[in-house]
Amino acid sequence: MKLLLTLKKIGMFYYEGFAGQKSWSRQVWLIIILKLFIMFFVLKLFFFPNFLKTKYTNDKDRGDYVIEQLTNPKK
Amino acid sequence: MIENFDMSLVDWSRAQFALTAMYHWIFVPLTLGLAFIIAIMETIYVKTGNPEWKKITKFWMTLFGINFAIGVATGIILEFEFGTNWSNYSWFVGDIFGAPLAVEGIMAFFMESTFIAVMFFGWNKVSKKFHLISTWLVAVGSNLSALWILVANGWMQNPVGMKFNPDTARNEMVNFWDVLFSPTAVNKFLHTISSAYTLAAIFVIGVSAWYLLKKLNVPFAKKSIVVAAVFGLITSLFTVMTGDNSAREIVRDQPMKFAAMEGLYDGSKGAGLVAFGIMSSTSENGNDNMKDFNFKLEIPNLLSYMAYMDGDAFVPGVNDVINGFTDNDGVVHPSVRTKIEMGRKAIHALKTYKKAQKDKDVNLAQTSLDELNENFKYFGYGYFDDPYNTVPPISITFYSFHIMVGLGMWFLLLFTLALLFVYKESIVSNKWFLRAAIWSIPLAYVASQSGWIVAEMGRQPWVIQDLMPTLTAVSNIDITSVQITFFLFLTIFTGLLIAEIKIMLKQIKLGPNHGGH
C-alpha cells in the first residue's frame, strides 16, 4: 500500500511537471522525439547496421574475419 | 601494405566521425560547465534565501535545459558509427571500450534523467535542500558520464592495462585501475572538463554582457558575471595547469604529436617555444607535411622547460622520432624503420599463429605467439612503408594548438577584467569589454574544438597509438553509404544547432523576469 502511494506520488510528480511546462520545453520535447525517431528508426535501421553482427552469427567468425582484415588487408 | 587500403573510404569515414564528434562537442561542454554554475547559484539562493538568486538560477537553468535537450543522445550516433564504419576497431578494442561506455550509460541514465526531472519539475514540490542536492547530482552525474568516454579516449592515446588475445583478435582488460588512472586518461579528463567549465563561464558572462549593453536586467547580469568570472578564473587557471601536465605527458608517450604541436622538426637541447608562428606554403626539406616557417616568435628554452621542467633538456623533433633518439631519462626510442620491421614481424606472426592453430601445429603456434608478443608493441607500424607516413598533419596540429593556447590566455584576461570592472563598478560603462565578452562566446567554442583537433589530428595516423592505424580500423563497406550519411548528419546537426540558437535567443530576449521554466 505504501509502495503504491509512493509510486502514485512519483507518477503525479512527473505528470504535473510535464503538464506545467512552458512553450520552450514543449518545443525541445518535440525536437527530442523527432531526433530520437530519426536516429533509431531511420539512421540505425537503414544506415547503421552492426557490420560484424550482420555479417557473422558468432564471435569466432567475427574474430577470424578481423584477423583476416588485419593480416591480409584487401581493397 | 598501405596500397591495400581504400584511402577514400578511410578519409570519408574519418570526415563523418569528425563531423559527428565536433557537432556533439558543441552541446557537451556547455552542459558540463553550466550545470556547476547553476548549482553554485542555487547554493547561494539556499544559503541567503534571496529570491533574486532563485530567479537567476531558474533563468540559467532554462538555457541549460535547452542545450541539454538539443544535445542529448547526439553522442549515440558515434556508437552507431563504431559498429558500422569502424568495426575492425570496435572488435580490436574489445572490452576496453565496452566497460567504460556501459558504466557511462548506466550513470548517465540514472543520475541525469532522475535528478534532472527534480531540477526542472521539483521547484515548490520538494524541499529546497533536496532540490539543491538534485542540481549538484546532475552536475556531478553529467561530468562522471564524460569521465568514462574520456578514459576510453585516453586509452586510445596511450593503451595500457590490457593484453591482446590472438585467438579472439581482441584486447582484454587485465587491470581496470591502470586504464582508469593512466596519466593520459587523468590529464585528458581534467583538461577537458576544466576547459568545458571555462566555456560555460564565458557563455554566462557573454549573455550577461549583452543585457548590460542593452541596459536590461542590470543587477541580474552583474550577479551572474561575478559568479561566472570567479568560477571561470579558477577553472581557466586549472585548465592551464592540466594542459601543462598534459603536454609533459604527451612528450613522453606521444613525442611525435608533441613535435607536431610545436612544429618542431629537429629536436635540440634548450628548445625554444614558438609563441606565434606562420607556416610557409612551401617546404625546402622535400616533405610537404613539414612546411618551413615564414615567421616565428620563439621564446628560448621554454619548450624544454615546459616539457621536462628543465630549460636545457632535450626535446625530440619529428626527425628525431623518425630516426630514433635517447630521451632525457636515458631511454632509447627505436627508429620508425625499426618499429616498422617489428610491426611486420607481429602481423606475420599473428597470421602464422592462426594458420598453425588451424593445422594443429602446436610448436609453430607457440613460436609465432612468442614472436607476436615480442613485437606486438609496434603492431600498427607494420602497415607502413615510409616512416614519414607516421607523421601527423603538422600545420593543422600546430595552428589548432596555438589557437587554443592563445584564446586560453585571452579568457584568463577576460575573467580577471570582468572581476576588476565589477569591483570598480565600471563594467556597464566599459562597452568595449562587454562587446568583447559577447564575441568571446564563439571564441570559446573555437578554442574547445581546436583542443580536440590537436588531440585527434595530432595522434594520426593512429586510432590506437602504435597498435592500430586509422586505415586498418575502418569497415570494408560501400563508400556511398558513408557519403550519404555524412551529408545526412550535416543536415540534421545543422538543423539542431539552428533550433538551439533560435530557442535560446528567444529565451535570452525574454530575460529572467519571464519566469524561467
Side-chain angles (χ1 to χ4, degrees):
Chain A
M1 194 64 192
K2 208 175 172 183
L3 180 73
L4 272 177
L5 214 65
T6 314
L7 286 174
K8 195 183 167 193
K9 261 187 172 177
I10 293 171
M12 281 307 288
F13 174 83
Y14 277 93
Y15 174 76
E16 285 170 9
F18 281 115
Q21 287 181 110
K22 298 229 167 182
S23 67
W24 73 264
S25 310
R26 293 179 203 282
Q27 273 177 326
V28 295
W29 270 113
L30 191 72
I31 292 169
I32 291 173
I33 292 164
L34 190 69
K35 181 174 62 177
L36 292 178
F37 176 80
I38 293 171
M39 279 169 58
F40 288 100
F41 293 99
V42 181
L43 292 174
K44 180 67 184 158
L45 279 185
F46 298 105
F47 294 99
F48 289 96
N50 188 298
F51 183 76
L52 292 174
K53 278 190 181 159
T54 324
K55 219 170 153 105
Y56 299 101
T57 50
N58 61 67
D59 279 356
K60 191 192 169 301
D61 290 348
R62 289 177 192 125
D64 288 346
Y65 170 78
V66 173
I67 286 182
E68 179 64 19
Q69 290 288 303
L70 294 180
T71 56
N72 205 8
K74 285 187 192 83
K75 264 188 194 179
Chain B
M1 206 185 262
I2 204 164
E3 67 280 356
N4 290 340
F5 295 93
D6 181 351
M7 290 312 287
S8 59
L9 174 65
V10 175
D11 290 343
W12 272 102
S13 302
R14 286 181 63 200
Q16 185 202 55
F17 197 86
L19 176 86
T20 325
M22 288 177 87
Y23 262 110
H24 177 56
W25 192 248
I26 289 175
F27 305 110
V28 176
L30 189 61
T31 296
L32 297 182
L34 204 50
F36 273 115
I37 294 177
I38 291 164
I40 293 166
M41 287 168 167
E42 192 176 340
T43 306
I44 300 173
Y45 161 61
V46 172
K47 283 264 178 202
T48 62
N50 182 350
E52 184 68 20
W53 280 105
K54 184 178 179 182
K55 195 168 79 179
I56 294 172
T57 307
K58 287 182 90 172
F59 173 76
W60 294 111
M61 215 176 255
T62 300
L63 299 191
F64 168 85
I66 295 165
N67 182 66
F68 183 87
I70 307 271
V72 78
T74 49
I76 289 175
I77 292 175
L78 296 169
E79 292 188 36
F80 291 173
E81 289 171 17
F82 285 139
T84 305
N85 305 77
W86 303 91
S87 60
N88 290 346
Y89 158 80
S90 298
W91 188 263
F92 190 75
V93 295
D95 61 352
I96 309 277
F97 230 68
L101 290 182
V103 178
E104 186 209 342
I106 293 164
M107 275 202 166
F109 183 77
F110 285 106
M111 285 191 84
E112 290 174 40
S113 55
T114 306
F115 293 106
I116 213 162
V118 178
M119 205 169 135
F120 282 93
F121 300 157
W123 294 106
N124 308 321
K125 287 195 180 118
V126 297
S127 72
K128 270 186 188 177
K129 274 192 181 165
F130 185 68
H131 193 278
L132 179 64
I133 289 168
S134 301
T135 308
W136 275 104
L137 284 176
V138 168
V140 174
S142 53
N143 279 266
L144 279 179
S145 296
L147 168 73
W148 301 108
I149 189 75
L150 292 169
V151 164
N153 185 278
W155 182 84
M156 289 159 70
Q157 314 264 350
N158 181 16
V160 289
M162 91 308 180
K163 188 164 175 24
F164 178 68
N165 182 341
D167 295 315
T168 58
R170 308 193 88 167
N171 281 288
E172 291 167 356
M173 200 185 297
V174 289
N175 191 329
F176 173 75
W177 303 109
D178 279 357
V179 176
L180 181 61
F181 292 116
S182 99
T184 315
V186 171
N187 283 322
K188 181 161 281 294
F189 173 66
L190 294 177
H191 190 60
T192 307
I193 58 160
S194 55
S195 68
Y197 302 161
T198 303
L199 179 142
I202 291 163
F203 177 83
V204 171
I205 292 176
V207 173
S208 304
W210 183 80
Y211 286 124
L212 294 183
L213 262 181
K214 297 275 170 194
K215 296 196 167 45
L216 295 167
N217 311 302
V218 173
F220 156 85
K222 280 185 179 172
K223 282 189 172 77
S224 297
I225 286 178
V226 172
V227 172
V230 172
F231 182 73
L233 188 61
I234 295 167
T235 58
S236 55
L237 283 169
F238 193 66
T239 308
V240 172
M241 202 177 87
T242 51
D244 194 42
N245 285 342
S246 199
R248 271 198 291 283
E249 183 273 316
I250 289 170
V251 77
R252 283 178 170 81
D253 294 323
Q254 296 172 294
M256 185 65 92
K257 183 199 254 187
F258 190 82
M261 281 157 62
E262 270 300 312
L264 184 70
Y265 303 143
D266 294 304
S268 65
K269 286 187 169 186
L273 178 94
V274 179
F276 179 76
I278 297 172
M279 282 184 172
S280 156
S281 56
T282 56
S283 155
E284 278 178 22
N285 53 34
N287 187 326
D288 276 349
N289 191 19
M290 294 162 73
K291 302 265 194 288
D292 303 321
F293 278 94
N294 269 344
F295 168 80
K296 64 177 171 181
L297 184 68
E298 198 171 301
I299 306 168
N301 299 79
L302 195 58
L303 190 64
S304 289
Y305 185 78
M306 202 176 99
Y308 294 100
M309 303 298 278
D310 172 3
D312 293 320
F314 174 76
V315 181
V318 171
N319 290 324
D320 301 287
V321 181
I322 293 283
N323 298 320
F325 67 99
T326 304
D327 69 20
N328 294 290
D329 301 323
V331 178
V332 177
H333 295 253
S335 70
V336 172
R337 188 63 73 191
T338 307
K339 292 176 185 175
I340 288 174
E341 289 309 316
M342 290 174 76
R344 284 179 181 171
K345 280 183 188 168
I347 294 168
H348 183 259
L350 178 60
K351 198 175 176 177
T352 314
Y353 172 76
K354 288 305 282 187
K355 192 174 178 305
Q357 269 208 325
K358 206 174 163 188
D359 300 342
K360 297 195 168 37
D361 186 339
V362 181
N363 288 338
L364 182 61
Q366 188 55 51
T367 320
S368 309
L369 191 59
D370 292 343
E371 191 171 19
L372 174 66
N373 289 335
E374 203 178 306
N375 297 290
F376 184 72
K377 195 179 170 188
Y378 299 120
F379 186 87
Y381 283 90
Y383 297 98
F384 296 101
D385 301 316
D386 179 359
Y388 281 92
N389 283 337
T390 63
V391 181
I394 292 177
S395 310
I396 192 164
T397 311
F398 172 84
Y399 283 122
S400 305
F401 176 65
H402 285 76
I403 287 170
M404 177 189 73
V405 173
L407 287 173
M409 294 299 120
W410 158 243
F411 301 149
L412 260 174
L413 183 66
L414 180 90
F415 296 130
T416 312
L417 287 176
L419 284 174
L420 185 74
F421 292 147
V422 169
Y423 176 73
K424 286 190 164 184
E425 295 188 353
S426 62
I427 193 155
V428 182
S429 56
N430 275 301
K431 292 207 171 8
W432 68 269
F433 175 78
L434 298 175
R435 286 195 187 96
I438 295 169
W439 281 106
S440 293
I441 297 177
L443 292 180
Y445 283 92
V446 169
S448 196
Q449 296 282 350
S450 298
W452 275 111
I453 292 172
V454 176
E456 301 306 300
M457 292 294 275
R459 73 165 150 127
Q460 291 304 317
W462 305 110
V463 66
I464 303 168
Q465 185 71 37
D466 296 350
L467 299 182
M468 181 175 249
T470 314
L471 52 91
T472 63
V474 292
S475 311
N476 203 352
I477 56 172
D478 181 17
I479 192 171
T480 320
S481 73
V482 188
Q483 291 166 329
I484 291 171
T485 46
F486 174 88
F487 290 107
L488 257 175
F489 288 150
L490 189 64
T491 314
I492 293 168
F493 278 116
T494 307
L496 286 175
L497 188 62
I498 291 169
E500 160 150 4
I501 293 170
K502 277 184 98 168
I503 300 170
M504 259 200 191
L505 286 179
K506 192 179 168 191
Q507 290 304 311
I508 291 168
K509 278 178 188 160
L510 286 170
N513 294 320
H514 188 63
H517 43 271

